[in-house]
Amino acid sequence: QDESASELREELNRVNSENKKLNEMLATVHENYCALRHQLE
Amino acid sequence: MDYDLNTNPFDLHFSGKLPKREPSDSGSEDVMRKWFVKDETCMLQEELTRVNSENKKLTETLARVSEKYSELQNLFKELQSRENVNFCNERKRKQDRDEFVSSPIGISCGGTVEKSTVSTAYFHAEKSDTSLTVKDGYQWRKYGQKITRDNPSPRAYFRCSFSPSCLVKKKVQRSAEDPSFVVATYEGTHNHPGPNASVSRTVKLDLVQGGLEPVEEKKGRGTIQDVLVQQMASSLTKDPKFTAALAAAISGRFIEQSRT
């Protein structure tokens, strides 16, 4: 049981770290998108 | 663009949600510990599921935003290249206009468009003469002068003195091949007789007599004949071999005359 919880924590950390990266990427793309749209307007 | 950026990859209070480890003094400590671990595992599993689902949502959103961004970028590039083409065309048009005609020949006040005629004539001129004025039977007003890379001699621009009722223009420049001649390029046809036609002295090709000699322009010459000769001369002068042969023949004639 302990082992299983430890594995889950590890997996949770990994997915959380991935989510953080995804959020950063999304923010960058969104920022670029807005800048380009502003330029076109 | 509609997507929700309010996702929360990190639940900062997640650890607080986990069951607290409380000291137990009963004999069932082992059972309690097992219960605690089981409960923690369940909560971890739930949290992992939530974070995974959020991860999936983020990935999808990112793909969608990236796609939109890419589309917008392509549109931007297309607009930019179209703008560049327009800019180049406009610049070329302006250059062409400045090159020779300051107001478009062939477009009359009434707005009808006629095809403009371009002809070239050669005039003998002393090398010391830098005025670039040629006696072609018409009066002209100079409106510009410039030097081009292909020919270091200045090029002068004139418009007919009857302008704006007559839209004929000409440019005059010393010949790059033979500096003893100046080349006049005319655009358009005069809509009036030349006031000084009787004193004009133009080098023209007399095809009827088959000779290559300078002939005096005669007042009252038939208009059709004039136009025909002009057109023939124009087409022939476009041929560089003919131009060279003509220049050589005229030079030869001058040398002969100076000997006799």
Side-chain angles (χ1 to χ4, degrees), chain B:
Chain B
M1 293 296 301
D2 53 337
Y3 59 86
D4 183 16
L5 284 174
N6 297 321
T7 49
N8 180 17
F10 300 107
D11 189 346
L12 298 173
H13 307 291
F14 177 70
S15 58
K17 289 175 189 169
L18 290 171
K20 287 177 184 159
R21 289 171 189 264
E22 282 176 7
S24 167
D25 55 355
S26 69
S28 61
E29 193 181 334
D30 195 37
V31 177
M32 285 293 284
R33 201 182 71 79
K34 278 183 183 169
W35 172 84
F36 170 78
V37 171
K38 193 180 174 190
D39 202 29
E40 189 189 11
T41 309
C42 277
M43 289 194 81
L44 278 169
Q45 191 69 56
E46 271 174 34
E47 178 63 6
L48 188 61
T49 311
R50 188 189 70 76
V51 176
N52 265 329
S53 140
E54 200 169 277
N55 187 302
K56 195 182 165 197
K57 217 190 294 177
L58 276 169
T59 309
E60 283 169 5
T61 310
L62 185 61
R64 210 167 53 237
V65 177
S66 295
E67 198 185 334
K68 294 264 181 196
Y69 178 67
S70 182
E71 278 173 20
L72 202 66
Q73 210 171 21
N74 287 340
L75 180 72
F76 183 72
K77 277 180 193 165
E78 197 185 311
L79 284 174
Q80 219 169 17
S81 67
R82 216 180 290 170
E83 206 167 289
N84 276 349
V85 169
N86 284 346
F87 176 73
C88 288
N89 285 346
E90 184 55 39
R91 203 168 59 173
K92 193 175 181 307
R93 270 200 295 274
K94 190 175 182 306
Q95 202 177 346
D96 288 347
R97 240 189 348 255
D98 293 346
E99 186 77 13
F100 184 37
V101 187
S102 64
S103 63
I105 290 247
I107 299 176
S108 72
C109 298
T112 54
V113 179
E114 295 165 14
K115 199 178 174 184
S116 62
T117 53
V118 178
S119 58
T120 311
Y122 286 76
F123 299 87
H124 181 67
E126 293 300 325
K127 283 183 184 174
S128 55
D129 182 10
T130 55
S131 65
L132 289 175
T133 50
V134 289
K135 288 178 181 174
D136 53 14
Y138 290 93
Q139 285 184 339
W140 302 89
R141 279 204 307 268
K142 190 173 174 182
Y143 67 91
Q145 184 164 312
K146 75 171 180 183
I147 293 177
T148 51
R149 273 187 205 166
D150 56 320
N151 187 339
S153 309
R155 182 188 292 175
Y157 297 88
F158 300 86
R159 60 166 62 95
C160 180
S161 62
F162 283 77
S163 170
S165 65
C166 177
L167 295 173
V168 179
K169 307 230 162 162
K170 73 168 175 181
K171 65 177 176 190
V172 183
Q173 188 174 32
R174 198 165 279 279
S175 167
E177 291 84 24
D178 185 350
S180 59
F181 285 91
V182 290
V183 188
T185 308
Y186 298 87
E187 189 162 320
T189 311
H190 291 281
N191 54 12
H192 57 90
N196 301 326
S198 58
V199 294
S200 69
R201 190 175 172 81
T202 312
V203 177
K204 285 197 173 196
L205 183 65
D206 192 339
L207 292 169
V208 180
Q209 294 189 9
L212 297 169
E213 57 182 336
V215 292
E216 198 103 345
E217 269 194 0
K218 288 171 190 163
K219 200 172 186 178
R221 176 186 270 181
T223 317
I224 297 170
Q225 196 186 352
D226 268 352
V227 171
L228 276 172
V229 170
Q230 257 186 354
Q231 280 177 350
M232 284 175 184
S234 171
S235 64
L236 283 168
T237 48
K238 279 172 192 163
D239 181 359
K241 282 180 187 169
F242 173 79
T243 312
L246 178 64
I250 293 165
S251 309
R253 180 56 64 95
F254 284 142
I255 291 162
E256 270 177 37
Q257 278 177 356
S258 62
R259 277 180 191 158
T260 56

